[in-house]
Amino acid sequence: MGRADALKPGRQEGGHPPLPRAELPVDTVSLARFLIGKNLVRETAEGVVSGRIVETEAYVIGDAAGHAYRGMTPRNRSLFLERGHAYVYLAYGRAYMLNVSSEPAGIGAGVLIRALEPCDSISIMQRNRNITRLRDLARGPGRLTAALRIDRRLDGVDLCREGALWLGCGGDNRGAIGQSTRIGITRDVNRLLRFYLRDSPFVSGPRLLTG
DNA sequence: AGTGCGATTGACT
DNA sequence: GTCAATCGCACTA
């Protein structure tokens, strides 16, 4: 693994056109499923880093486990942006979480990105995470944001436009999608709103039910 | 102004 | 398997 893929400047340029917003499903659960297999692309001065989304969770309208449940606040306002914008927050004082807003403007809901299969510039991710093992580079919501250097500065960015961070077209949508309860929450714990590529080793948590 | 608590991770028994 | 670290923010007063 970990070869000098980061040192091939021409390879990925233009290789990740952004996903048009019109292609994003309009409801949160559909979007959570849809995002499995899509690319998440990060561009910094270091280079273009990307991964394929293999695990998501839906935080739907009226969801007691969702951050939008008690209305808009300074932290969660990005959840109320039109679908396809980034909501980034810090959890437990250490791990940044990346969500994709998922409903029309004014409605607070989102999809948490929980794990990636590393694709472009794996060596940059290894440096960002200070580990080498491919499987662990982006397996977990806080790990993937560290690998891609995502923090609160990217809160609110439009993920349907090429820039510092966006959702790329393509991606490989083959493979069965599993479904389970969400991880780490304390309310509405029984809802099956977590989705993952069943056979991917890059998924973070337990593989329970199939979908 | 003070308090309590996470949509987690990494270290350790 | 268990558990503490860590801090921004929402909530109470």
Side-chain angles (χ1 to χ4, degrees):
Chain A
M1 309 300 153
R3 280 192 304 275
D5 47 23
L7 304 176
K8 297 178 188 170
R11 184 181 159 237
Q12 59 280 60
E13 305 308 325
H16 294 296
L19 211 45
R21 198 182 320 279
E23 288 188 19
L24 301 183
V26 180
D27 98 283
T28 303
V29 172
S30 302
L31 182 64
R33 276 184 166 278
F34 172 86
L35 288 178
I36 300 290
K38 300 298 187 295
N39 291 312
L40 181 66
V41 190
R42 171 80 166 111
E43 182 168 349
T44 66
E46 317 264 292
V48 173
V49 187
S50 79
R52 174 188 181 218
I53 297 169
V54 297
E55 181 184 351
T56 63
E57 282 177 359
Y59 288 85
V60 302
I61 296 171
D63 189 339
H67 285 185
Y69 186 57
R70 294 174 191 223
M72 193 186 298
T73 69
R75 175 177 70 158
N76 71 14
R77 64 195 157 85
S78 297
L79 272 182
F80 294 81
L81 296 173
E82 180 181 27
R83 73 190 193 283
H85 288 78
Y87 164 49
V88 181
Y89 73 94
L90 181 64
Y92 295 99
R94 36 173 60 211
Y96 287 101
M97 305 282 123
L98 171 67
N99 296 251
V100 181
S101 68
S102 55
E103 298 283 344
I107 299 179
V111 174
L112 171 69
I113 309 299
R114 285 197 59 92
L116 303 177
E117 173 179 338
C119 295
D120 293 321
S121 300
I122 288 166
S123 60
I124 294 179
M125 293 194 213
Q126 289 170 322
R127 194 169 72 234
N128 288 344
R129 292 267 292 119
N130 199 29
I131 63 169
T132 57
R133 192 169 182 231
L134 183 63
R135 189 172 115 94
D136 292 335
L137 281 180
R139 185 169 58 82
R143 291 168 173 171
L144 78 89
T145 54
L148 270 54
R149 286 192 117 95
I150 293 167
D151 62 27
R152 266 237 115 190
R153 288 176 296 209
L154 292 173
D155 182 55
V157 305
D158 185 354
L159 298 172
C160 297
R161 288 181 64 112
E162 196 164 325
L165 181 68
W166 70 96
L167 290 165
C169 288
D172 182 353
N173 281 6
R174 289 170 301 178
I177 294 180
Q179 190 170 349
S180 80
T181 54
R182 294 173 291 185
I183 296 176
I185 58 170
T186 57
R187 291 175 292 190
D188 263 330
V189 294
N190 292 324
R191 304 180 75 171
L192 302 180
L193 292 175
R194 170 172 170 254
F195 303 93
Y196 55 92
L197 260 192
R198 212 195 321 181
D199 298 320
S200 173
F202 300 98
V203 166
S204 76
R207 269 151 266 236
L208 299 174
L209 309 166
T210 57

